[in-house]
Amino acid sequence: MYAVAIDGPAGAGKSTISRAVAQKIGFLYVDTGALYRAVAYDMLENEIDPADISAVCERLGSITVRFGYENGEQQIYLNGNNITGKIRTPQISAAASAVSAIREVRQFLFAQQQDIARENHIIMDGRDIGTVVLPNAQVKIYLTAAVEERARRRFAELQEKGIPADFNEVLADVKTRDENDMNRPVAPLRRAPDAVLVDTSCLDFDQSVQAVLSVIKEKIGQGIK
Ligand code: DC
């Protein structure tokens, strides 16, 4: 099986770019952030503080989180219920960031990520895919963009949705998330030594997709359509 691991900070465009590339080469796209979001969703539903390590760990024993696919689109199931449409709120983003720093949560979600990679050609995105989850992936990419550019994209997205926002606040949020992801003791966001750096600061969406595709073709050209 072929595995493409894509890691990088929030707002670099990992999921949209990975999804488009996966479709082009016929690989399964796996968004691992959805697993952390599912755990976060469960904690909030049960009024558990996502930063309370012992309460979160105790609750893990009562839940199952599973991937599924419907018409090629990833779905996420919590205790058998499809919660895919409920995990993209700002509250869940913040709670996912908190639970993702807990070692037991990462261990709890580890096997599913490895299992899906064992059975499919995949493009998997996250923060620790090339470093921890799939250290033997044939292709590793560290996808990033300058912090101001990531904040500018996020700000534009909010404006498009009609959500009032202040650019400096958005920039501060992006910086805080970078801090959390890069400095947590367990599986911090790092570029794997063998990951190819793709910086999308000066690339538009199509150029970013092409840049990722060309890294993949260079590494496993014979394995893709
Ligand atoms: O990519 P995302 O925003 O959906 O991720 C949600 C949170 O989960 C984010 O704070 C980082 C964390 N995460 C992680 O720690 N490891 C991963 N492989 C994927 C996401």
Side-chain angles (χ1 to χ4, degrees):
M1 288 295 160
Y2 288 109
V4 178
I6 302 197
D7 292 302
K14 288 191 304 292
S15 59
T16 44
I17 295 167
S18 302
R19 185 180 286 111
V21 170
Q23 204 166 23
K24 276 189 194 292
I25 63 174
F27 282 23
L28 199 63
Y29 167 56
V30 185
D31 158 23
T32 62
L35 295 172
Y36 294 90
R37 288 174 180 272
V39 171
Y41 174 85
D42 181 82
M43 298 304 154
L44 295 186
E45 283 290 290
N46 287 282
E47 295 178 2
I48 293 167
D49 175 359
D52 181 340
I53 298 177
S54 57
V56 169
C57 291
E58 196 185 326
R59 175 71 193 156
L60 285 181
S62 318
I63 66 174
T64 60
V65 175
R66 297 275 178 269
F67 286 126
Y69 284 83
E70 263 174 32
N71 304 320
E73 279 294 311
Q74 179 181 299
Q75 310 292 315
I76 195 94
Y77 297 89
L78 173 67
N79 294 332
N81 299 316
N82 190 336
I83 56 158
T84 313
K86 299 178 177 169
I87 57 171
R88 301 281 155 200
T89 67
Q91 290 95 318
I92 306 271
S93 299
S97 178
V99 297
S100 74
I102 302 174
R103 182 183 305 275
E104 288 81 356
V105 170
R106 308 199 70 85
Q107 283 166 349
F108 176 73
L109 299 172
F110 188 72
Q112 284 133 81
Q113 297 172 75
Q114 289 210 324
D115 288 350
I116 203 162
R118 206 171 291 122
E119 292 155 12
N120 302 276
H121 296 310
I122 52 145
I123 295 187
M124 184 178 279
D125 84 16
R127 304 294 190 286
D128 62 338
I129 309 306
T131 50
V132 177
V133 177
L134 302 175
N136 299 321
Q138 294 90 345
V139 186
K140 295 184 188 179
I141 294 173
Y142 191 82
L143 193 76
T144 189
V147 67
E148 291 78 11
E149 176 58 21
R150 289 186 281 122
R152 201 190 57 72
R153 291 176 192 170
R154 176 80 188 125
F155 181 66
E157 206 178 286
L158 291 170
Q159 283 199 316
E160 222 165 83
K161 288 184 186 160
I163 300 170
D166 173 75
F167 178 76
N168 287 322
E169 271 176 31
V170 173
L171 178 62
D173 277 357
V174 173
K175 285 182 175 169
T176 307
R177 273 211 276 169
D178 282 1
E179 276 279 312
N180 289 345
D181 283 353
M182 291 173 188
N183 296 319
R184 67 179 174 219
V186 197
L189 171 62
R190 291 270 152 76
R191 176 182 169 189
D194 51 348
V196 176
L197 181 74
V198 174
D199 187 327
T200 68
S201 302
C202 300
L203 305 180
D204 66 21
F205 177 71
D206 289 339
Q207 291 169 328
S208 304
V209 169
Q210 286 309 320
V212 168
L213 268 175
S214 72
V215 174
I216 296 173
K217 283 188 178 147
E218 197 179 297
K219 302 271 180 191
I220 54 165
Q222 77 287 4
I224 58 178
K225 32 182 202 181

